[in-house]
């Protein structure tokens, strides 16, 4: 479902050259939950930004749902991005919109009718356990509730994959557990493929099927979670 083939990303700031990703290869099958773990600066964000095409790789190809997303026109790219949901560490909600309107936002962008939006948003809010919070604003919600809104929004256009960028790093341990349970439910009930990046072992241990370790821009290991955490 997600495939990185020999992906490299180099940033050039004047005379400074940073090899943020070096020849990365990764194959994630449909329905998997795959974690990429690494220290700060290892290249996790760069990797995930190459999959949702916030960054274009310097070299290599990125396949999502059978399509090479590095070779698309601007219009095709917008289309492809709708097939990719993303959630972030700091939720990135629209502060001037209430919960319902945050989840409705991507549906408005794809030109759906008011009625279609209502029919999509209501079950999504139910799915994430926020049916009674539709008219609240982000500032009135806890961190965990904000991330639930962000998850509902990410699912609005029925993406094939969900990318999670340090999605629980700003949450306390108890809230982290409940958000991870929600992600596991969504994976199981919707069959959605999840790629998550994190610096937290516990996140990987609790929901990932496989895990890759990233270090200085290189994917150095790819293993079943059980094998990864077993001492040699
Ligand atoms: P992580 O998410 O694991 O913390 P990043 O992907 O953010 O790592 O960063 C990997 C490396 O690339 C770091 O050395 C970082 O400073 C550098 N980097 C990331 N984004 C940029 C950018 N836009 N311009 C220049 N260097 C960048
Ligand atoms: P995180 O690792 O949590 O994603 P960072 O604080 O490392 O966040 O990076 C935030 C933003 O700054 C990202 O968009 C990243 O690409 C960019 N960035 C990171 N390092 C650099 C850098 N050395 N030069 C320019 N931009 C950078």
């Amino acid at each position: 479902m997600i495939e990185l083939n020999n992906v490299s990303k180099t940033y050039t700031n004047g005379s400074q050259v940073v090899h943020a990703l070096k020849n990365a290869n990764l194959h994630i099958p449909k329905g998997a939950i795959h974690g990429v773990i690494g220290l700060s600066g290892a290249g996790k964000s760069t990797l995930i930004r190459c999959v949702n095409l916030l960054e274009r790789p310097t070299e290599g190809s990125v396949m999502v749902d059978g399509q090479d997303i590095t070779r698309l026109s601007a219009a095709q790219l917008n289309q492809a991005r709708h097939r990719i949901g993303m959630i972030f560490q700091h939720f990135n909600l629209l502060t001037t919109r209430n919960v319902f309107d945050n989840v409705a936002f991507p549906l408005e962008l794809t030109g759906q009718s008011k009625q279609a939006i209502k029919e999509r948003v209501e079950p999504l809010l139910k799915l994430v356990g926020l049916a009674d919070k539709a008219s609240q604003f982000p500032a009135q919600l806890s961190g965990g509730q904000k991330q639930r809104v962000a998850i509902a929004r990410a699912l609005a256009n029925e993406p094939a994959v969900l990318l999670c960028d340090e999605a629980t790093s700003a949450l306390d341990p108890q809230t982290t557990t409940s958000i991870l349970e929600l992600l596991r439910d969504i994976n199981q009930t919707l069959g959605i493929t999840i790629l998550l990046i994190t610096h937290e072992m516990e996140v990987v241990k609790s929901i990932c099927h496989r895990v890759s370790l990233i270090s200085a821009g290189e994917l150095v290991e790819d293993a079943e979670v059980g094998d990864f955490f077993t001492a040699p």
Side-chain angles (χ1 to χ4, degrees):
M1 178 56 69
I2 303 175
E3 233 184 270
L4 274 69
N5 298 305
N6 303 313
V7 172
S8 296
K9 177 70 191 181
T10 304
Y11 295 108
T12 311
N13 288 334
S15 61
Q16 197 202 5
V17 178
V18 179
H19 298 285
L21 265 187
K22 301 173 196 164
N23 208 26
N25 288 289
L26 187 60
H27 291 203
I28 306 176
K30 186 170 162 55
I33 305 181
H34 193 102
V36 174
I37 192 164
L39 299 174
S40 179
K44 302 184 296 297
S45 304
T46 302
L47 185 148
I48 213 160
R49 290 160 65 90
C50 283
V51 178
N52 72 359
L53 290 195
L54 289 171
E55 300 279 8
R56 239 174 223 284
T58 312
E59 279 176 66
S61 67
V62 179
M63 309 285 294
V64 176
D65 205 3
Q67 192 176 38
D68 183 351
I69 59 174
T70 57
R71 283 165 205 287
L72 302 178
S73 67
Q76 289 172 314
L77 203 55
N78 264 332
Q79 210 53 40
R81 282 208 182 102
H82 296 146
R83 301 284 296 144
I84 302 173
M86 182 135 177
I87 57 172
F88 305 89
Q89 179 172 3
H90 297 295
F91 324 122
N92 296 12
L93 298 179
L94 301 162
T95 54
T96 60
R97 285 176 159 239
N98 67 21
V99 167
F100 184 99
D101 291 335
N102 263 278
V103 180
F105 187 64
L107 298 164
E108 290 169 12
L109 291 183
T110 51
Q112 314 248 355
S113 72
K114 266 206 155 76
Q115 186 58 31
I117 289 174
K118 192 164 147 35
E119 282 167 15
R120 181 79 189 129
V121 172
E122 283 175 355
L124 278 169
L125 290 180
K126 213 166 151 196
L127 175 75
V128 301
L130 292 180
D132 59 338
K133 302 275 187 237
S135 56
Q136 304 246 319
F137 284 82
Q140 299 171 288
L141 303 176
S142 69
Q145 289 170 334
K146 284 182 206 167
Q147 196 59 294
R148 286 170 187 272
V149 178
I151 290 168
R153 182 180 58 180
L155 298 176
N157 278 313
E158 301 183 51
V161 307
L162 178 64
L163 307 178
C164 309
D165 183 351
E166 298 282 3
T168 54
S169 299
L171 304 174
D172 61 63
Q174 218 175 335
T175 310
T176 292
T177 302
S178 73
I179 293 295
L180 294 178
E181 274 168 11
L182 175 61
L183 290 175
R184 192 190 296 125
D185 272 3
I186 286 167
N187 168 256
Q188 281 170 1
T189 58
L190 306 180
I192 193 167
T193 307
I194 298 181
L195 167 60
L196 66 85
I197 60 171
T198 184
H199 64 277
E200 296 173 304
M201 295 283 189
E202 287 311 316
V203 168
V204 168
K205 274 189 189 171
S206 73
I207 65 161
C208 293
H209 305 140
R210 288 186 76 85
V211 58
S212 302
L213 178 66
I214 188 166
S215 174
E218 291 188 66
L219 285 173
V220 291
E221 216 179 311
D222 183 343
E224 296 269 341
V225 167
D227 298 335
F228 189 79
F229 290 106
T230 307

